[in-house]
Amino acid sequence: MLQEEGRSKFMRQVINLIVVSLLGSGLLSSCSETSLQKEVGADDDGHTAPTKHTLQFQAQVEQKLNLEDQDDFQDANRGLVARSEQVIVKDSLGKVVWDLGQYDFINGKAPGSVNPSLWRQATLNNIHGLFKVTDGIYQVRGYDLSNLTIIEGKTGWIIVDTLTATETAKAAMDLARKHLDNEDGKKPIKAIIYTHSHIDHFGGVLGVISSEQAQADGVRIIAPHGFTEEATSENILVGLAMGRRATMMYGKHLSRSKRGHVGSGLGKSPAYGTFTFLEPTEIIDQTPQTLEIDGLKFVFQFAPESEAPAELTFYLPEKKAFCGAELVSRNMHNLYTLRGAKVRDALKWSGYIHEVRGLFPETEVYFASHHWPMWGREDIDLFLEHQADNYKYIHDQSVRMINEGYNGAEIAERMNVPEVLSQQFYNRGYYGTVKHNSKAVYQNYMGWYDANPANLNPLPASDSAKRYVKLMGGADKLLAAAQADFDKGDYRWVAEILNKLVFAEPANVSAKELLAKTYDQLGYQAESGPWRDVYLSAAKELREGKPDEQLDPSLMAGILQEAPSEYFMDAISVNLNGDAAAGANYVFNFTLTDTDENFVFRIRNGVFHYAKNRPVEGANASIQISRTLFLEVITKKAEGTDLFGDEFQVEGSKIDLLRFLAMLKKPDGNFNVVTP
């Protein structure tokens, strides 16, 4: 009985631990019931109407930018081959994973609740269908956050990027094949190119071709050096925190409405379907690197540590067409992403774009992993120049001000990008922004400490907030002052002081409601899709409470199957409660029977160590389980009854094993953000 109990508890704890570490990427659902009464005239999420100050702000945006310019709309519609009236994609159980019709409200003049510049971008990102880019190059746009590109080789198709989910990738391929394959039957897929290591560019691969078919046909799968490691490891160690923040960045729980989510700027939103992976067969690791793929010459640029740690672009000399991947796009990108990630190198990023201008000066056609293409050598070269110089300007001026003694916040407030760069719609901050990108440059070079000793060891937010509120004369006086400043339209300041009050008194309904109204206005004014979603998600959480997060591990089965076993061990390591383990000294053998891998676990000095090694003698306990069963339990939520038998065995001290497992703290990924 003890052996069975030990087996079951071991698997439940370790599996839960790894699931939450691996799957913190926004695969969540459900919300708690409302705790604040919704105001009359509010939308379904409780968001209030735009104030006169917000309406004045929007009017100023309209005056500043030439929003009637139709060039982008002409480019976004150019080459339309076919379009479905409804783009609704469901999974095998009938659950909707993509519904572009949710965004049908985006048409005509911008409402007062949306920045007119962001509304324009959202309208462009609504344009969907199968498009001919140039002879032999097609794109399906509007079926996911990213684009699926189809290049005609001599004997079959070459697919560039396979969207986020198998369901949306299959729907995109079905549309393409319906109109591109000839009457003789389907052309075979000869190659797949992953431009970079973010999941919206590879996660749908098994919707394009099955693993068995790819192997049988010898499909070439081409990716940049480091792709597999980055694709399977990103978000593992801090995945829960990233996932929690990603739901806010992409407005996952917001209504699709004029007062809710309108898009991410980079596209609409990620598709929440089934994610898969196929291992690359060929690697790009230098510039230029030339391959012939199904009779076509490809010249690759290797661009690591730019928009992604592993990234490539390529040029097709025969077609004079350049694929910019996500090195360039029709907006300013992130040097730092609000979901949390390592800072990207602005100087390298800019350098790679300038390198493209020298490598492929004959380019007549540009297309990429997001947005719509561009045609004409001069226009493309100017676009590349402006994008490269935009990142370099933010980098250089941030560094200049760093050396003058300014901190990140001060630099962000002082940064003024020249109009020749900032007025270009493709440089606007629809995704990244000048403010948070300049802060990213500061962070990249200087880290978190701004050299002011008062910021070296400050009090925790809740503790300092209580003292601030007391100094301000108490909650009622602070709230009255905040209301007065809200009425003046001073929303940034109101958010700052009300955040203090909410952290001092998280049960103060009046404070939370006024702060929610403030976030509504800041969201409405935001030109950046992620900024808008973060503000409006915060407002929703203040009114309704945080979402009830529900992880669906089965969606990640295809990714987990390819992840090296070491990543699971890293996940265990970062979930060890150091305080509880401080006096422990254990050794365990952990064997994956079907892959013939053995790991030796050591717990000492409050630290978890592992080594891929032979089983050691004298271990406190030895655990044997097949990796296949391990992943099945993770992805299918198998019950303890599935764990007994030859595929799972424990020998040695089960008491020591259970003591160790008790030291593993399973985070739920559902922490507060806008309240303490």
Side-chain angles (χ1 to χ4, degrees):
M1 182 69 181
L2 181 59
Q3 183 179 13
E4 292 183 354
E5 181 182 350
R7 289 174 180 169
S8 180
K9 189 170 183 179
F10 171 80
M11 289 306 298
R12 285 199 304 271
Q13 293 196 39
V14 172
I15 286 164
N16 286 338
L17 164 67
I18 295 176
V19 165
V20 297
S21 294
L22 288 173
L23 304 181
S25 56
L27 312 177
L28 313 166
S29 63
S30 181
C31 277
S32 58
E33 295 183 0
T34 60
S35 57
L36 297 180
Q37 186 174 0
K38 291 180 179 177
E39 187 172 289
V40 175
D43 73 351
D44 289 342
D45 292 331
H47 299 302
T48 52
T51 64
K52 65 178 182 180
H53 301 289
T54 291
L55 295 177
Q56 291 169 359
F57 181 91
Q58 314 295 39
Q60 292 171 0
V61 173
E62 290 181 337
Q63 294 172 4
K64 181 179 179 181
L65 298 173
N66 181 17
L67 299 177
E68 302 304 316
D69 188 299
Q70 292 298 301
D71 287 352
D72 285 337
F73 289 91
Q74 292 171 6
D75 283 352
N77 282 292
R78 178 171 169 174
L80 177 66
V81 175
R83 175 178 293 152
S84 298
E85 288 301 317
Q86 289 187 323
V87 184
I88 300 176
V89 181
K90 299 180 180 180
D91 64 15
S92 59
L93 299 177
K95 178 184 175 183
V96 174
V97 300
W98 183 257
D99 181 3
L100 192 62
Q102 293 182 99
Y103 299 97
D104 285 348
F105 68 90
I106 301 174
N107 59 76
K109 182 178 172 61
S113 55
V114 184
N115 183 296
S117 183
L118 178 61
W119 184 261
R120 178 184 185 275
Q121 182 80 348
T123 305
L124 284 160
N125 282 329
N126 266 21
I127 297 171
H128 65 279
L130 171 66
F131 299 85
K132 179 179 178 179
V133 178
T134 190
D135 288 342
I137 302 178
Y138 303 87
Q139 284 191 318
V140 180
R141 302 198 287 273
Y143 277 65
D144 207 314
L145 179 65
S146 53
N147 301 332
L148 184 142
T149 301
I150 304 159
I151 300 174
E152 187 175 13
K154 300 303 181 184
T155 63
W157 299 119
I158 301 160
I159 309 300
V160 183
D161 289 344
T162 58
L163 308 186
T164 310
T166 59
E167 294 86 356
T168 51
K170 182 181 184 303
M173 282 300 301
D174 287 347
L175 177 68
R177 285 196 177 279
K178 179 179 178 181
H179 297 279
L180 300 182
D181 277 332
N182 55 42
E183 295 180 357
D184 297 333
K186 291 183 177 180
K187 286 186 179 180
I189 293 174
K190 306 300 291 186
I192 293 171
I193 299 174
Y194 299 137
T195 61
H196 58 292
S197 53
H198 293 151
I199 197 170
D200 54 319
H201 304 273
F202 68 83
V205 64
L206 294 189
V208 171
I209 192 170
S210 69
S211 178
E212 296 77 14
Q213 192 68 53
Q215 187 171 7
D217 293 350
V219 174
R220 301 168 68 179
I221 302 177
I222 299 161
H225 175 73
F227 173 85
T228 297
E229 179 181 357
E230 296 297 338
T232 56
S233 69
E234 186 182 69
N235 298 344
I236 285 182
L237 295 183
V238 289
L240 284 174
M242 284 188 181
R244 173 72 173 94
R245 290 165 55 150
T247 62
M248 301 183 73
M249 174 180 171
Y250 289 110
K252 186 176 188 298
H253 298 295
L254 294 174
S255 63
R256 274 53 180 151
S257 69
K258 294 178 181 179
R259 296 189 193 174
H261 171 80
V262 300
S264 70
L266 193 65
K268 305 316 296 184
S269 67
Y272 294 97
T274 305
F275 310 139
T276 53
F277 185 81
L278 285 178
E279 186 83 14
T281 62
E282 297 175 59
I283 295 299
I284 301 302
D285 60 3
Q286 55 186 294
T287 302
Q289 185 171 341
T290 301
L291 295 179
E292 183 176 295
I293 306 173
D294 195 28
L296 284 181
K297 181 180 179 181
F298 284 69
V299 182
F300 289 93
Q301 177 197 35
F302 181 46
E305 298 179 72
S306 54
E307 188 272 335
E311 186 138 4
L312 61 77
T313 72
F314 63 83
Y315 179 67
L316 298 167
E318 181 180 320
K319 302 179 183 298
K320 295 186 177 180
F322 169 65
C323 174
E326 214 163 326
L327 186 70
V328 283
S329 54
R330 296 278 195 151
N331 55 212
M332 186 194 309
H333 216 297
N334 286 310
L335 297 180
Y336 167 81
T337 177
L338 302 186
R339 65 179 168 85
K342 296 176 182 177
V343 171
R344 296 158 184 175
D345 192 320
L347 195 57
K348 285 185 178 179
W349 197 331
S350 173
Y352 288 133
I353 301 173
H354 277 303
E355 183 179 56
V356 167
R357 300 177 67 208
L359 285 172
F360 314 127
E362 302 300 315
T363 298
E364 296 282 357
V365 179
Y366 153 82
F367 62 97
S369 300
H370 294 275
H371 303 131
W372 52 97
M374 183 180 293
W375 294 265
R377 186 181 305 177
E378 291 183 2
D379 287 345
I380 293 170
D381 187 63
L382 188 61
F383 161 64
L384 295 173
E385 175 189 310
H386 283 162
Q387 286 246 307
D389 285 353
N390 200 38
Y391 295 124
K392 193 170 192 302
Y393 184 91
I394 292 171
H395 170 273
D396 291 356
Q397 297 309 306
S398 295
V399 171
R400 175 181 65 80
M401 285 187 267
I402 287 172
N403 286 323
E404 290 178 355
Y406 293 107
N407 63 31
E410 292 166 338
I411 291 169
E413 208 65 24
R414 287 165 171 76
M415 183 70 68
N416 291 306
V417 177
E419 285 194 2
V420 67
L421 298 176
S422 66
Q423 290 293 98
Q424 307 300 327
F425 286 115
Y426 49 65
N427 273 353
R428 300 296 298 178
Y430 301 124
Y431 197 48
T433 71
V434 171
K435 285 197 171 183
H436 80 248
N437 279 346
S438 59
K439 291 177 181 177
V441 175
Y442 183 93
Q443 179 182 335
N444 189 43
Y445 285 106
M446 307 301 289
W448 63 268
Y449 179 49
D450 65 359
N452 185 334
N455 297 322
L456 186 60
N457 190 29
L459 291 171
S462 293
D463 293 343
S464 66
K466 292 172 184 176
R467 298 190 182 192
Y468 272 103
V469 172
K470 183 178 179 180
L471 283 173
M472 293 178 189
D476 291 343
K477 187 173 181 179
L478 191 157
L479 194 58
Q483 182 66 64
D485 286 325
F486 179 91
D487 294 339
K488 297 175 185 176
D490 195 0
Y491 303 126
R492 289 173 66 190
W493 170 244
V494 174
E496 184 173 337
I497 60 174
L498 281 179
N499 183 63
K500 299 288 188 187
L501 180 51
V502 168
F503 268 71
E505 299 182 6
N508 190 320
V509 174
S510 297
K512 289 196 290 186
E513 179 52 41
L514 185 54
L515 182 54
K517 290 180 180 179
T518 304
Y519 285 150
D520 285 344
Q521 304 309 313
L522 289 170
Y524 298 159
Q525 294 181 18
E527 186 178 36
S528 163
W531 278 41
R532 175 186 176 87
D533 284 342
V534 165
Y535 281 129
L536 296 183
S537 295
K540 181 179 174 68
E541 290 191 16
L542 284 167
R543 294 184 172 108
E544 302 180 6
K546 63 187 178 183
D548 294 328
E549 311 287 29
Q550 301 291 326
L551 291 168
D552 185 356
S554 64
L555 298 179
M556 290 292 286
I559 306 295
L560 296 179
Q561 287 169 359
E562 302 295 332
S565 301
E566 285 83 350
Y567 295 166
F568 299 135
M569 310 312 161
D570 287 336
I572 294 173
S573 179
V574 298
N575 283 280
L576 182 71
N577 185 326
D579 292 334
N585 194 345
Y586 295 122
V587 178
F588 301 104
N589 294 314
F590 188 96
T591 301
L592 300 176
T593 55
D594 52 352
T595 58
D596 196 26
E597 295 176 285
N598 188 80
F599 293 87
V600 178
F601 295 175
R602 297 183 186 274
I603 298 88
R604 64 171 183 262
N605 304 322
V607 177
F608 175 91
H609 299 272
Y610 72 87
K612 198 171 186 178
N613 207 339
R614 294 179 180 179
V616 298
E617 294 184 2
N620 296 74
S622 296
I623 302 93
Q624 295 189 20
I625 185 172
S626 70
R627 178 184 162 100
T628 301
L629 177 60
F630 193 42
L631 293 181
E632 284 182 359
V633 175
I634 290 174
T635 58
K636 296 180 181 178
K637 303 179 182 178
E639 299 297 330
T641 54
D642 295 314
L643 306 177
F644 305 123
D646 294 337
E647 290 185 281
F648 178 67
Q649 298 179 3
V650 179
E651 297 179 359
S653 175
K654 299 175 182 64
I655 299 299
D656 288 346
L657 180 59
L658 293 175
R659 285 172 177 164
F660 160 61
L661 293 171
M663 299 172 187
L664 298 178
K665 179 176 174 57
K666 172 187 165 302
D668 63 10
N670 194 19
F671 49 82
N672 291 336
V673 174
V674 294
T675 56

